[in-house]
Amino acid sequence: MPQQASAATALRPATTEHAPRPRTASVSLDGIGDVVDAGRSSGYAHLSERRLPTLGQLVSAARGAAVSLRRPTLWPTRRGRWQPAPRSARRHVSGRFRVTAVALEPNSFVPGPVRRSDRPHNLEVLHLVSGRAHLITSGADGQMRSAAELAVGRTRVVGDSSAAGQGHHYLVNTGDEVAVLVRVTA
């Protein structure tokens, strides 16, 4: 008998009543300041919007400038020094970018830029127009940290070497012909 009683309770018919659904509360953004204030200017100067260019914009600017520098007649005449790129190369760059170029003889080098204190957010890219070159990063003690080959037609983003301990960047022409590079800085 005890077995029959447990079987009867196990086969109890299901009830057709449904549990009441909880009522959904209406969503209000009144208490969420970041969402409500999105897009409005803030009264705090340190929260003001700073429009920094993106890396994509710098890469696009470097590629545009490099396309016009493929003609050897536009290459910098002074070798081994960064100088403003020709006007035809700067025309391909839209925005407030600084476009410079350098021509390096074989087995020569040029130091990279020194970080300026008045520009805390310094973005920089290098684009090899022709030749063969390596980007060398050294530490404050003069020891070489890394050497990266720059490929023709490729753009390299240059990090801040002074952030990790006052290092330096150098561009070295490792080929048998003149190397021409474009640098775009924001």
Side-chain angles (χ1 to χ4, degrees):
M1 281 281 228
Q3 293 175 348
Q4 290 177 354
S6 63
T9 56
L11 297 174
R12 187 179 303 169
T15 60
T16 57
E17 296 178 23
H18 294 251
R21 290 186 177 175
R23 296 179 70 188
T24 58
S26 62
V27 177
S28 173
L29 299 177
D30 291 335
I32 306 173
D34 291 342
V35 175
V36 172
D37 292 335
R40 295 184 193 162
S41 60
S42 171
Y44 300 99
H46 68 281
L47 297 177
S48 65
E49 182 180 357
R50 293 182 184 98
R51 296 198 183 265
L52 294 175
T54 64
L55 286 176
Q57 291 171 329
L58 265 82
V59 169
S60 177
R63 286 181 182 161
V67 166
S68 67
L69 282 177
R70 296 202 185 214
R71 296 192 330 238
T73 57
L74 294 176
W75 289 358
T77 54
R78 291 186 332 204
R79 306 292 165 100
R81 292 183 180 220
W82 288 105
Q83 51 196 340
R87 184 173 294 160
S88 61
R90 291 190 312 249
R91 279 190 203 135
H92 292 281
V93 177
S94 61
R96 299 186 67 188
F97 300 123
R98 184 172 181 211
V99 182
T100 54
V102 67
L104 292 173
E105 293 290 335
N107 296 323
S108 65
F109 72 96
V110 63
V114 178
R115 183 174 180 170
R116 294 174 27 185
S117 61
D118 62 337
R119 298 185 134 204
H121 304 289
N122 198 13
L123 298 173
E124 180 177 294
V125 296
L126 294 171
H127 191 93
L128 183 63
V129 178
S130 75
R132 187 172 177 206
H134 281 74
L135 178 65
I136 308 294
T137 304
S138 66
D141 57 355
Q143 294 290 327
M144 183 170 46
R145 289 186 187 161
S146 68
E149 184 175 6
L150 301 174
V152 174
R154 302 285 309 252
T155 305
R156 170 144 334 239
V157 177
V158 180
D160 183 19
S161 62
S162 64
Q166 300 177 3
H168 300 285
H169 289 299
Y170 297 97
L171 286 166
V172 180
N173 183 351
T174 54
D176 296 333
E177 58 187 27
V178 174
V180 177
L181 292 107
V182 172
R183 179 177 70 191
V184 178
T185 309

